[in-house]
Amino acid sequence: MKKQYIQSGFIHVAVLIMISLLLLNSFLLARTVGYVQLPGELSKTDLARESAKMFVDYGEQLARNADVLNTSIVREVIAQFKYEVERAATAEDIVMLMSDYSIKIQDVISREQDSKRRDTALALIARDPKLPGFRGEAVISIWKGQEGVRIVDPTETLTDQTKETVINHPLLNGPSWSLIEVSVKDGQVSLMTSRSVLDKLRMLENDKANLERRLKVVTSLAGFSEINGAGITVEMYDSGTGFSSIDIVHDRDVRDVVNELFSAGARGISVGGQRLVATSSIRCAGPIILVNQKPIAVDPIVIKAVGDPKVLASSLEFIRAELKEFGIRIEVLPEDQIILPAYSE
């Protein structure tokens, strides 16, 4: 009897250990996929925002090293990046912004640094004592290569002292930079316009590329291009025990679910495979539900939403409880990757 009692005790302890290990493994798995967070722990989106702050610090340091941090255009582009990061709803959006602005910020810094170099070279040449008496036209070319700053002055317009000052100026002795051409006409100096035109074309090309990237984001959020990411799949089932109108899923029930998901931050939603846009309609036509004027499969009605799975799922708790009283069942499945199609007429 005593032996049986001891064996029973061992079995009881073993079962408790197995249950504890199972719970621990479940917790670790939930932590790994991001469904569980410890108190005070940052979410994925908050971590992305922290990374964005470090990115801003790095960009400001680059601008400071180039001595262009206080220029209006550099301050403006960094401020715009901070603003868009604060507005971003997901970690994916923040990563996309960092990708866009990494190019934009570096390009703005480079353009401003080039502008300072040109202004500096022009100012140094304008001080040359020979220029007031110079008559005629000349072009002076300056560039920085692997062997240092080089000056081509075919008409010997400048003094050796001015050339030496230009060659040794610290601002002109950074990394290699492109050609600067200075026009001299009857003692007056000016930058050649071709370089300014090239700069403007380069700036317009970069702005065009940035606008195209932003357009891609906007069309995706508006529903006119494919979107993918983590989210949830919602399945709405009619009551299995009743046959009256209150026992089936109606268009208003679908609209309620969709509205809750959008309010919870969904970046895109499809109903029955139909992508929702601002002009989408969800309505009953007899026993059929039409989405975007097209019939969809029912029982279940399948709704897919891209966004934070936990937030989206929790937003439906009230509706699930409300419809459960009528026997209507709502199943919610979190997913790591959902692809929503673009809206099509």
Side-chain angles (χ1 to χ4, degrees), residues 22-305:
L22 180 61
L23 290 174
L24 178 60
N25 287 336
S26 299
F27 174 78
L28 292 175
L29 178 61
R31 286 278 298 117
T32 302
V33 299
Y35 289 126
V36 174
Q37 288 178 239
L38 296 175
E41 188 175 23
L42 294 176
S43 67
K44 185 168 68 171
T45 303
D46 290 334
L47 285 172
R49 283 201 174 88
E50 290 299 316
S51 298
K53 290 178 181 177
M54 289 189 287
F55 175 83
V56 168
D57 292 341
Y58 175 72
E60 289 178 341
Q61 187 59 49
L62 284 179
R64 190 176 293 109
N65 292 341
D67 197 26
V68 295
L69 181 59
N70 292 325
T71 60
S72 59
I73 189 169
V74 172
R75 291 200 306 269
E76 181 181 333
V77 72
I78 292 177
Q80 181 67 25
F81 173 68
K82 291 179 179 178
Y83 172 71
E84 293 199 32
V85 166
E86 288 302 318
R87 291 182 57 203
T90 68
E92 289 78 8
D93 290 340
I94 295 174
V95 170
M96 184 176 294
L97 286 170
M98 290 172 68
S99 175
D100 289 347
Y101 276 88
S102 64
I103 299 172
K104 190 171 183 178
I105 290 175
Q106 290 185 50
D107 189 66
V108 167
I109 291 173
S110 177
R111 288 204 308 266
E112 288 299 292
Q113 199 170 22
D114 283 345
S115 178
K116 288 195 71 170
R117 289 194 190 102
R118 292 194 297 271
D119 291 343
T120 299
L122 184 66
L124 293 174
I125 290 173
R127 298 193 196 110
D128 191 284
K130 288 175 62 176
L131 287 185
F134 179 82
R135 292 296 174 263
E137 296 184 14
V139 174
I140 300 168
S141 301
I142 311 168
W143 73 93
K144 169 69 185 300
Q146 293 181 349
E147 298 178 356
V149 178
R150 291 290 180 265
I151 299 177
V152 174
D153 180 14
T155 58
E156 294 296 328
T157 308
L158 304 178
T159 63
D160 291 340
Q161 183 179 357
T162 297
K163 292 177 183 178
E164 195 70 21
T165 301
V166 171
I167 289 172
N168 295 319
H169 195 282
L171 185 59
L172 303 177
N173 275 277
S176 297
W177 39 268
S178 302
L179 177 68
I180 297 174
E181 291 184 310
V182 177
S183 171
V184 182
K185 184 177 182 180
D186 295 335
Q188 301 297 315
V189 297
S190 62
L191 289 168
M192 297 290 284
T193 56
S194 58
R195 179 63 183 167
S196 299
V197 171
L198 288 174
D199 278 344
K200 289 180 181 178
L201 287 174
R202 184 182 174 194
M203 181 177 65
L204 289 173
E205 287 175 355
N206 285 322
D207 287 345
K208 175 176 175 288
N210 288 328
L211 287 173
E212 286 174 346
R213 284 192 289 269
R214 298 308 301 161
L215 178 62
K216 183 178 179 180
V217 174
V218 171
T219 54
S220 175
L221 294 176
F224 293 100
S225 66
E226 183 181 282
I227 190 174
N228 64 80
I232 63 172
T233 295
V234 180
E235 296 178 349
M236 302 182 69
Y237 293 87
D238 296 336
S239 172
T241 58
F243 301 96
S244 66
S245 62
I246 65 171
D247 299 317
I248 62 174
V249 178
H250 286 277
D251 51 1
R252 63 177 178 271
D253 302 319
V254 178
R255 286 196 297 269
D256 287 344
V257 169
V258 166
N259 289 335
E260 285 295 333
L261 292 174
F262 273 129
S263 297
R267 295 191 293 131
I269 298 175
S270 69
V271 178
Q274 292 295 316
R275 182 72 178 275
L276 299 186
V277 296
T279 57
S280 291
S281 61
I282 302 173
R283 63 186 184 86
C284 285
I288 300 172
I289 289 184
L290 302 176
V291 179
N292 295 335
Q293 309 303 321
K294 297 175 183 177
I296 64 168
V298 296
D299 203 25
I301 295 172
V302 178
I303 302 171
K304 292 182 177 290

